[in-house]
Amino acid sequence: ACTSSLTGNEGNFQFSYPADDRITDFNKPIAVGAMLDLEVRDVGQRQPVRLSDASTDDPAVLEVMGFGDADLTVQATGEGAALLMVEGTTVNGEALTDSINLLARIPEVHRLNHTCAESDQAVYLNSQRIWIPFEFEMSNGQPVIGYGYYPVSAQGDAQVTLNNSDSGQQFMAFDLGEATGAASLTSDIDGSVLAFDVVAPEDIDDISEPIAFVLEDIDVGDKNDFYVLPKAGEDTVCQAELAKTVVSDTPEICTVSEREPLDPDAYEYGWFSIEGLAEGECRFTVAYPDAGVSKQFAYPIEP
């Protein structure tokens, strides 16, 4: 994971946190209502510090929610700037202090997206947990960070419930009930709307063309990764945790096998691998047994 880091004002400790945008900019504002986890290390050996105290000079802007060992959590409580001050002991037994300046802002822009659709419309399966990517920004494009603050309202026929305990700084988690139909999420910040439909497994009637992670052709002896997505009518179903099988129909040409997702945080599950055994057309069948859907595909194996 990427981190943003900064040496403290006294030059004794380094402060860092997991980051997914503008990594080199440490002091991105924390969204008012959100929290941020920080780790503290000494600047010399870069070893974790054992914290003995942590506080801010303005709890109305930033409050320390707790600390232990080298980790601490702050929450933005109001707009402004605040000084975070810590005391800690290095692995060499030296007791030191340090501080950093932090900002808190109310976000002005709230971007909501789907993981497998570029438009603001997607399809998901009922009775599953889904993850919606999001970003907070100021109107000038500056990122606003933090977790635990998820200002959205759900509407529609489907049952959509925020799962606060499984939501983080990049994704909001929602649990879908058994009901199917149209649904949407509306931002309480800027009114932006993310729409989607919820369908049942029996609504799946097709399979997308495999998406290949292949830099060049698959040659004999190569093994490359692919994934597929189920479809309901013309719509691709995102994040479908549905039993899937893959079988090589030309075992003399290729082997086809299930595999774990390359990126587990992408929340797309239809992954498999193809290994070239001989030159020719590799034909294989992908099936979703619970939906009663199967489809054959082909990919060339080069010498």
Side-chain angles (χ1 to χ4, degrees), residues 51-104:
L51 295 173
S52 56
D53 193 22
S55 61
T56 72
D57 68 343
D58 192 348
V61 173
L62 198 75
E63 186 174 358
V64 175
M65 305 304 292
F67 64 89
D69 294 329
D71 301 312
L72 64 96
T73 300
V74 297
Q75 182 174 34
T77 52
E79 286 198 292
L83 186 71
L84 171 65
M85 303 164 289
V86 302
E87 299 177 9
T89 305
T90 69
V91 292
N92 294 329
E94 188 176 10
L96 297 169
T97 62
D98 214 333
S99 64
I100 52 171
N101 301 87
L102 294 172
L103 300 172

Side-chain angles (χ1 to χ4, degrees), residues 17-135:
Y17 60 85
D20 59 274
D21 48 18
R22 294 199 187 178
I23 309 302
T24 58
D25 180 10
F26 177 87
N27 201 5
K28 299 179 285 288
I30 305 168
V32 173
M35 294 178 286
L36 186 68
D37 297 331
L38 295 138
E39 183 185 47
V40 185
R41 292 175 176 260
D42 72 83
V43 295
Q45 300 183 53
R46 302 283 300 277
Q47 293 297 311
V49 170
R50 182 173 294 278
L51 295 173
S52 56
D53 193 22
S55 61
T56 72
D57 68 343
D58 192 348
V61 173
L62 198 75
E63 186 174 358
V64 175
M65 305 304 292
F67 64 89
D69 294 329
D71 301 312
L72 64 96
T73 300
V74 297
Q75 182 174 34
T77 52
E79 286 198 292
L83 186 71
L84 171 65
M85 303 164 289
V86 302
E87 299 177 9
T89 305
T90 69
V91 292
N92 294 329
E94 188 176 10
L96 297 169
T97 62
D98 214 333
S99 64
I100 52 171
N101 301 87
L102 294 172
L103 300 172
R105 295 285 186 269
I106 297 174
E108 297 171 327
V109 178
H110 191 185
R111 302 189 188 280
L112 301 167
N113 299 289
H114 298 294
T115 55
C116 81
E118 294 183 359
S119 69
D120 61 355
Q121 175 70 39
V123 176
Y124 297 91
L125 282 184
N126 64 348
S127 301
Q128 294 198 351
R129 182 167 297 171
I130 65 171
W131 284 265
I132 302 297
F134 75 97
E135 297 281 353

Side-chain angles (χ1 to χ4, degrees), residues 248-285:
S248 174
D249 301 321
T250 52
E252 73 283 1
I253 301 295
C254 60
T255 59
V256 185
S257 56
E258 299 272 8
R259 68 147 294 144
E260 292 297 315
L262 284 178
D263 181 2
D265 291 334
Y267 302 113
E268 301 297 349
Y269 305 101
W271 287 83
F272 62 95
S273 295
I274 296 177
E275 182 176 7
L277 302 179
E279 181 182 3
E281 185 178 67
C282 171
R283 295 191 300 275
F284 57 95
T285 297

Side-chain angles (χ1 to χ4, degrees), residues 144-156:
V144 181
I145 61 175
Y147 70 92
Y149 173 58
Y150 309 110
V152 294
S153 303
Q155 298 87 26

Side-chain angles (χ1 to χ4, degrees), residues 118-194:
E118 294 183 359
S119 69
D120 61 355
Q121 175 70 39
V123 176
Y124 297 91
L125 282 184
N126 64 348
S127 301
Q128 294 198 351
R129 182 167 297 171
I130 65 171
W131 284 265
I132 302 297
F134 75 97
E135 297 281 353
F136 292 135
E137 295 177 358
M138 301 304 291
S139 59
N140 62 4
Q142 182 185 32
V144 181
I145 61 175
Y147 70 92
Y149 173 58
Y150 309 110
V152 294
S153 303
Q155 298 87 26
D157 298 326
Q159 300 160 334
V160 182
T161 304
L162 174 69
N163 187 307
N164 192 70
S165 63
D166 210 14
S167 297
Q169 196 167 193
Q170 294 177 270
F171 296 90
M172 291 183 289
F174 294 89
D175 293 320
L176 303 182
E178 292 185 7
T180 60
S184 63
L185 299 171
T186 301
S187 168
D188 299 337
I189 291 175
D190 60 6
S192 58
V193 177
L194 189 74

